[in-house]
Amino acid sequence: MLVTRRATAVLAGICVAVTAAVVPTAPAHASCPDNFCGTWGTIVADPYLSVRATPDRSQSPIGHANHLDPVKISCWTWGEYIDQGQWPSAIWDKIVDDNTGSAGYGSDAWIETSSDVRTLVPQC
């Protein structure tokens, strides 16, 4: 009986390890080109996307990104649910101004990326 329990525990551990290995996650960055660890997105809001200090619309915008501007996305976080844009979403992307280095949040509903941003960058 003891041998059977050990075998079951070992097999259960293998199944968990295999399952965990196939779950997509954001890549780990050992070194980052141009000191930027992240991905690029494109603003699809027209005429612009308001950029905010927090991932919600309760504060005034701290800036904006124009329609079709490429933006650097450093991470994502949960925030206010936005039911407009390409798809309804509570995900907000932290975007970085390439000229000033300042950062703020934009709703992921208005930022196009190559795939789900949660698989491209880490959570903030």
Side-chain angles (χ1 to χ4, degrees):
M1 191 69 135
L2 182 57
V3 173
T4 304
R5 286 185 184 163
R6 283 186 185 170
T8 302
V10 170
L11 288 175
I14 291 170
C15 290
V16 169
V18 170
T19 302
V22 296
V23 175
T25 58
H29 299 283
S31 63
C32 305
D34 301 324
N35 294 321
F36 173 65
C37 296
T39 194
W40 287 89
T42 302
I43 301 299
V44 293
D46 192 7
Y48 60 86
L49 173 66
S50 294
V51 179
R52 301 179 188 272
T54 58
D56 61 68
R57 295 179 291 181
S58 66
Q59 294 184 4
S60 297
I62 59 172
H64 68 274
N66 293 318
H67 179 67
L68 299 180
D69 274 355
V71 291
K72 290 180 175 181
I73 303 171
S74 60
C75 60
W76 68 273
T77 191
W78 296 109
E80 179 183 356
Y81 180 79
I82 304 297
D83 62 358
Q84 301 167 336
Q86 292 186 311
W87 47 82
S89 179
I91 295 172
W92 286 65
D93 303 337
K94 188 170 190 177
I95 57 178
V96 181
D97 185 311
D98 207 21
N99 298 315
T100 66
S102 61
Y105 292 94
S107 171
D108 188 67
W110 295 105
I111 303 173
E112 184 177 271
T113 54
S114 61
S115 62
D116 185 336
V117 74
R118 295 173 292 178
T119 66
L120 300 172
V121 294
Q123 187 170 5
C124 302

